[in-house]
Amino acid sequence: MAKKILVLGGAHIDRRGRIFGETAPGASNPGAWFEEPGGGGFNAARNLARLGFDVKLISPRGGDPSGEMVAEAASHAGIDDKPFVFLDRKTPSYTAILENDGNLVIALADMELYKLFVPRRLAIRAVRDAFDETDLILCDANLPAETLGAIAARAALCGKPVAAIAISPAKVVRLKPSLAGIDHLFLNEAEAAALTEIRPEDPREWVSALRALHLRNGVITRGKRPLIAFSRDIVVSLQPPIVEDIADVTGAGDSLASGVLSALMAGHDLAEAIRHGVAAAAITVQSPYATAENLSPELLNAALALVPKAEILS
């Protein structure tokens, strides 16, 4: 029987506009729009469902065509989608303008609806049952800080492990009061800097700072540079392989989290789990979408051949 994962977090619309030529500020720029369902929690949910897990998703959504688009994508990925639908509200969205080389010009995040996922919604019978029945809870920092704290507290009462995705430097601080109740945190170096309030030359100093904040396990990605991961008793590093034909890096961090969690739930140790995460991210960046529709356990295992072994730092 497939292991169960409960995802509580962002499931919204991502819009990305790419400028065709040189960016001309203050003027009309030729370009094209691309729109797809996204959100850290939702991307991870789709990846984990494609990797064979029984995934349930709970998130706020508006009663609009964007909400229907998210629901259709969830169904297509095999997710058990149980949203809180607010018929008179808009589904959250993230709209970005990108330069021709992919660098961000400006973005607008319309995420007000997530404020309505308040802690008392965890007391709903169907949500309580979902906590009781799952093997792992995954949340993201799109949710309010008090809700993230309540998720960690309820998970502890149920004896369930909790993983979290940082989302952004501005949002990761919402997780700070709850770090002692989070078993695995996935973040990049900008988010690590925001959470710890330090920017060390040696990334191992982030490990010490995060442990001081009572985080037990974490993975810090650093773009093309070696990522660093830690548990209570080990620190490991891994150099991501060079990936040819990158289509879009959107969702790479969410897929890395999915790969790591899938390996940990299969009984692999941290050093091997981050290899699975890097392999999943490599598959994703070759797709024009935030999640690779062809992701599967077989493809992930094949991609592992390109990923080096992790280095034990301590």
Side-chain angles (χ1 to χ4, degrees):
M1 180 180 289
K3 289 190 175 182
K4 296 183 177 182
I5 299 177
L6 171 62
V7 179
L8 306 158
H12 50 253
I13 295 296
D14 276 345
R15 302 183 182 95
R16 302 192 291 280
R18 187 180 292 266
I19 296 169
F20 286 155
E22 291 294 321
T23 303
S28 176
N29 288 261
W33 278 107
F34 178 73
E35 182 177 272
E36 66 172 333
F42 186 52
N43 291 340
R46 285 188 287 179
N47 289 324
L48 289 163
R50 288 168 180 151
L51 290 174
F53 292 90
D54 182 348
V55 180
K56 180 170 290 188
L57 172 68
I58 300 176
S59 67
R61 209 164 301 158
D64 56 6
S66 293
E68 294 173 5
M69 185 177 177
V70 174
E72 183 178 348
S75 176
H76 179 70
I79 295 168
D80 182 8
D81 186 32
K82 302 295 183 185
F84 299 130
V85 178
F86 298 86
L87 295 175
D88 59 339
R89 303 288 184 121
K90 294 187 301 180
T91 296
S93 64
Y94 174 82
T95 304
I97 302 294
L98 307 175
E99 293 185 304
N100 188 43
D101 61 4
N103 286 321
L104 180 68
V105 177
I106 194 169
L108 177 66
D110 182 358
M111 304 285 176
E112 288 297 300
L113 191 64
Y114 291 130
K115 293 180 180 178
L116 299 184
F117 195 152
V118 293
R120 69 173 180 271
R121 292 193 172 273
L122 301 179
I124 296 171
R125 178 62 181 272
V127 179
R128 298 201 317 268
D129 289 346
F131 270 76
D132 290 336
E133 296 165 359
T134 197
D135 295 298
L136 171 74
I137 295 151
L138 174 62
C139 60
D140 73 30
N142 280 305
L143 303 184
E146 58 271 20
T147 305
L148 293 166
I151 289 170
R154 180 167 289 278
L157 287 174
C158 299
K160 310 293 184 177
V162 179
I165 298 173
I167 298 298
S168 73
K171 292 179 179 178
V172 69
V173 293
R174 298 174 183 173
L175 289 161
K176 197 167 189 175
S178 311
L179 289 180
I182 292 173
D183 296 277
H184 304 279
L185 177 61
F186 298 91
L187 65 172
N188 62 31
E189 55 187 342
E191 293 153 356
L195 193 57
T196 62
E197 301 179 9
I198 61 171
R199 289 184 174 274
E201 290 187 10
D202 186 343
R204 283 177 288 189
E205 293 183 35
W206 273 321
V207 174
S208 300
L210 290 168
R211 283 173 169 168
L213 292 172
H214 307 294
L215 180 65
R216 294 187 286 275
N217 307 274
V219 179
I220 305 167
T221 58
R222 305 171 63 228
K224 295 180 180 179
R225 291 178 294 165
L227 66 78
I228 191 163
F230 68 94
S231 62
R232 279 195 178 99
D233 53 5
I234 193 172
V235 179
V236 299
S237 178
L238 192 149
Q239 173 63 60
I242 296 173
V243 178
E244 304 293 343
D245 302 321
I246 293 178
D248 195 324
V249 299
T250 303
D254 306 325
S255 60
L256 183 138
S258 305
V260 172
L261 291 173
S262 68
L264 291 173
M265 294 183 74
H268 293 289
D269 62 18
L270 180 62
E272 181 62 18
I274 59 174
R275 293 187 67 242
H276 284 70
V278 167
I283 292 167
T284 298
V285 299
Q286 295 178 81
S287 165
Y289 307 107
T291 64
E293 294 191 340
N294 63 337
L295 181 64
S296 67
E298 294 76 20
L299 182 60
L300 183 60
N301 285 332
L304 280 171
L306 303 175
V307 181
K309 289 188 178 297
E311 177 185 359
I312 309 299
L313 300 182
S314 66

